[in-house]
Amino acid sequence: MSAIGDAASELRSFLEPLWMLRRIQACRLPDAGAACSEGMCGFTAAFTAEALRLLDGGEWRVAGGWPQSGGGMACRERRLNAHFWAVSDDGLVVDLTADQFGHPSVIVTGRHDPRYVESFTREEIERHLPRVMPLAEKWLEVAASEGLIPSGMRLAA
């Protein structure tokens, strides 16, 4: 696996108990048989973009789509689902929550992967980020304290 793939797998393992903690705090436990990542894509994409920026040194951003605007992630039945993921400036897609749609739990692929249809505009993403960044920043602090990502981080604007 690539260095980004290895990092993505480590980040996924790190996040799984934090997702459950978030669910417990929000009194929203997953249904039996549901992926533990269900509903965590916005928080996770924000966390992942920043963590990979710190680990990789490249530029990463949150991307996503909504079926109503022709985007999202295609499930196995080809139906689009609202979804967020991280993408690098050179077009690498990293998704740590794809299992909620029947895909592998960690996907590292290219921007042109037909499962990913980006339809959110930059403005829509910027409006969404304030809702997810507080929790993503807490997760980044924990990741830094555990040595998973560099500490002394400078969060991207």
Side-chain angles (χ1 to χ4, degrees), residues 67 71-82 101 103 115:
M73 179 171 207
C75 66
R76 293 184 187 262
E77 299 84 35
R78 302 283 184 234
R79 185 184 75 245
L80 289 172
N81 297 278
F101 304 116
H103 295 293
R115 295 173 291 189

Side-chain angles (χ1 to χ4, degrees), residues 27-124:
C27 297
R28 293 179 59 198
L29 294 177
D31 293 332
C36 67
S37 64
E38 187 175 298
M40 295 289 123
C41 62
F43 303 111
T44 300
F47 167 86
T48 302
E50 190 60 25
L52 290 175
R53 184 187 67 76
L54 292 165
L55 291 167
D56 177 54
E59 290 300 315
W60 290 83
R61 64 182 174 82
V62 174
W66 183 255
Q68 288 82 339
S69 59
M73 179 171 207
C75 66
R76 293 184 187 262
E77 299 84 35
R78 302 283 184 234
R79 185 184 75 245
L80 289 172
N81 297 278
H83 193 48
F84 292 97
W85 56 88
V87 64
S88 70
D89 57 352
D90 61 352
L92 192 63
V93 169
V94 175
D95 185 355
L96 305 184
T97 62
D99 56 326
Q100 66 185 305
F101 304 116
H103 295 293
S105 58
V106 175
I107 293 178
V108 178
T109 189
R111 173 182 320 173
H112 301 294
D113 185 316
R115 295 173 291 189
Y116 295 91
V117 182
E118 191 172 341
S119 67
F120 288 134
T121 65
R122 181 183 305 255
E123 293 77 25
E124 289 171 317

